[in-house]
Amino acid sequence: ILNVEQSPQSLHVQEGDSTNFTCSFPSSNFYALHWYRWETAKSPEALFVMTLNGDEKKKGRISATLNTKEGYSYLYIKGSQPEDSATYLCAHYGGSQGNLIFGKGTKLSVKP
Amino acid sequence: DAGITQSPRHKVTETGTPVTLRCHQTENHRYMYWYRQDPGHGLRLIHYSYGVKDTDKGEVSDGYSVSRSKTEDFLLTLESATSSQTSVYFCAISEWQGRETQYFGPGTRLLVL
């Protein structure tokens, strides 16, 4: 199993702050990098699927970048709102292992 | 929302009893997955299916079996439940593997006493 690491493990910010977190993954045999948003007591919901080095994706105030050569992706949230409070998961697909390997997530708490 | 349901949503059982969880989809997606979620471990793949009667093991398959006799249904069976299998179980589906988004069901909370 190839490891997917996310940092930080948790993050507390004030409403209006912009924030970002990191997903690191093996840079060899890269096929795709997924980001999911997971609210407490709900199920994970897809944010982005990124496949190309240099990819940038945006959805409202949330955006993500991808560097496949060095094996990392950043997720950015601009002007955090309390409703952004959730755990953000990334998952790597390297082809050979057959399926997505999930990181343990970054838990974001946004205080009003 | 993708049409994925899981049943039961909550279950309490005793050690040594068999348990079957059901995942049902209405999206006609080829791939179906069973994950478990535990504190400190995130989501870990138990088994997945890439078609009717086609299944394969995931990272934590010991103690679990699966079956898929119809496109829409994917069953997860704990032959003899143990306390270490207390967890939240999520089913997911995708049209294809890897580059396609996975859509998750609502989860089943299982407590093994």
Side-chain angles (χ1 to χ4, degrees):
Chain A
I1 301 293
L2 305 173
N3 288 332
V4 177
E5 304 287 342
Q6 291 189 247
S7 61
Q9 191 172 7
S10 64
L11 197 53
H12 298 263
V13 301
Q14 291 292 132
E15 182 175 356
D17 288 349
S18 293
T19 188
N20 66 86
F21 16 96
T22 305
C23 173
S24 301
F25 53 87
S27 55
S28 59
N29 298 321
F30 177 85
Y31 277 77
L33 192 284
H34 295 228
W35 281 101
Y36 291 84
R37 181 172 178 273
W38 194 357
E39 290 183 70
T40 302
K42 294 188 177 180
S43 50
E45 292 183 348
L47 287 171
F48 308 115
V49 179
M50 309 176 80
T51 57
L52 298 174
N53 185 44
D55 245 357
E56 292 188 25
K57 300 268 187 177
K58 187 174 181 181
K59 189 174 187 177
R61 293 178 292 98
I62 304 176
S63 60
T65 61
L66 178 67
N67 183 323
T68 61
K69 295 186 187 306
E70 296 182 39
Y72 64 84
S73 176
Y74 294 138
L75 190 78
Y76 301 91
I77 302 179
K78 184 178 178 181
S80 302
Q81 299 296 309
E83 57 265 32
D84 295 328
S85 297
T87 296
Y88 291 83
L89 295 174
C90 70
H92 168 253
Y93 178 64
S96 58
Q97 80 269 26
N99 281 291
L100 293 181
I101 302 297
F102 282 85
K104 295 179 182 179
T106 293
K107 185 172 183 178
L108 175 67
S109 298
V110 183
K111 287 188 177 179
Chain B
D1 289 344
I4 312 167
T5 56
Q6 293 183 229
S7 58
R9 294 293 311 280
H10 303 270
K11 186 167 182 68
V12 180
T13 191
E14 293 185 349
T15 298
T17 59
V19 176
T20 295
L21 309 183
R22 180 180 182 240
C23 177
H24 179 79
Q25 61 147 327
T26 58
E27 306 297 318
N28 201 36
H29 283 1
R30 178 178 178 179
Y31 282 80
M32 298 185 76
Y33 312 84
W34 277 108
Y35 292 92
R36 60 179 290 175
Q37 181 233 339
D38 304 290
H41 289 279
L43 282 169
R44 292 182 293 173
L45 182 67
I46 304 171
H47 282 279
Y48 70 100
S49 170
Y50 47 97
V52 173
K53 298 187 180 178
D54 293 323
T55 65
D56 206 350
K57 295 179 180 179
E59 180 187 355
V60 289
S61 59
D62 287 349
Y64 301 95
S65 62
V66 290
S67 65
R68 191 170 178 197
S69 59
K70 297 185 289 185
T71 298
E72 57 266 35
D73 289 327
F74 192 32
L75 303 181
L76 177 71
T77 298
L78 291 65
E79 301 290 347
S80 177
T82 67
S83 58
S84 64
Q85 293 176 312
T86 291
S87 188
V88 181
Y89 291 85
F90 285 96
C91 174
I93 64 173
S94 66
E95 290 191 75
W96 199 250
Q97 192 179 39
R99 291 179 171 152
E100 298 293 326
T101 296
Q102 289 191 11
Y103 300 94
F104 286 82
T108 293
R109 190 172 294 273
L110 176 67
L111 175 61
V112 183
L113 299 174

